[in-house]
Amino acid sequence: MGNLMNTRLWTGMIILLFVTSSISFNVSSEQHDLTDSMLNTSSTLGQAESSYIIQWQKNYGTSQEGGRYQGPQPIGDCDNDGENEWLLAGRDGRIDIMEWNNDAQTYESSAVLHSPFYFFFLLRERQTEESPPCAGGFAIGDLTGDGENEIAATWYSAVYKYIAGSYRLIGFNSWIFRNHGGNGDCFIGDCDNDGQNELIMSGGGGTYENQVPEIVVHKWNGWRMQMVASYDHPGPGYAYMAGVGDPDNDGDNEITVGITNYGNGPNDYNRLLVLDWNPQTETFDETVLMETSGWEEAPFGGWCEDSDADGIDEIHFGYASPRVTIFDWDGNSYFMKYDKIWPGEGWLIESLNVGDVDNDGFQEVCAATDIVHILEWNGTTYVEEACINETHGDLAVCNIGDLDNDGKNEMNVAPVFVDRDEEYISWVFEYVES
């Protein structure tokens, strides 16, 4: 990130950045069997007469390489065979493409992606002991407009496509890293409402003289990823995550993002924003949802999902404290609909998601600190209907989707940090009737 941030912000960003500062060129599709186990241990529940059981887990041991990173869209049909896969990545310099093996009744890694120029970084590692880059963020979606899905990753805005039996790198753009910036996450969505998805990169950094925007938008131009738009908040800042949706119900998508400038003295701020593309000026118009200060109030997320079943997306934010806020549209402006803090629990950061995790036909908000809080709208507010407390660490991963293609959703949860001598574990929970 260069020398843009002072020591405190730099430390915070190194801890949570989930970014890479490298270039690459290689995809490995080797088979890689993960050590996993099928468990039927019931979770601790709240009021619900039901249970969440561990369908699968992988133990990475106590090494920091075991920390898992969150991708905002890690579940989908990335090989276009009609069934879902899911992406699993962290501080080990790889993205595992996980698939359900129905015969073995477990998840297996069917392929592994590495950054562009991966072998170059392996050679560098021999001389400098600097490991190949990790993918801080990753997503599945249709970026090329051909009706088929691709995989995007934050290491140089890389895009991979499944072609002739393997995943191949079809494009990347190193502009962010060439300008000494960092990239915390990426999101696939149509943020300029032209009918084609873009790759929305969140991050920032650079130097005081040459700052990198917090939002950088890339589009597939037919043969490569091209930078087509950006949003640069005044002064230094960083955006860990961003989302895309239609929270103001105007028929057009917006970008929702939190920007932190923690550590810059009197200019210290955190701002939660909605960015609306203006086709006349070809820039983003901003709406400020809320301002906070201090590292504990640094925002993550911007998940746009309809969590109260009113047909309109709400905006969901996590923080570097065990807090979640939800914003809604009243027809004229945004307002805070829900604000919850779990004192004494782990960081919430990126481990926030919305989906029908208990398959009852209603969306739940799942907010994971060191445990997982499962919230559902009751017509007046969000109430905790269940709680999974078998997890530990600062849970940066909380993904909801049909991982095993049984027509029901599961939830993947994993920590990015654990206490000394604790083990890094990635869990998949499924809901079962009592």
Side-chain angles (χ1 to χ4, degrees), residues 75-87:
I75 302 169
D77 183 8
C78 57
D79 62 2
N80 301 291
D81 66 348
E83 294 190 341
N84 282 341
E85 291 77 35
W86 57 285
L87 308 179

Side-chain angles (χ1 to χ4, degrees), residues 31 117 164 218 324 343 403:
Q31 294 290 328
F117 302 122
H218 293 305
V324 59
L403 303 180

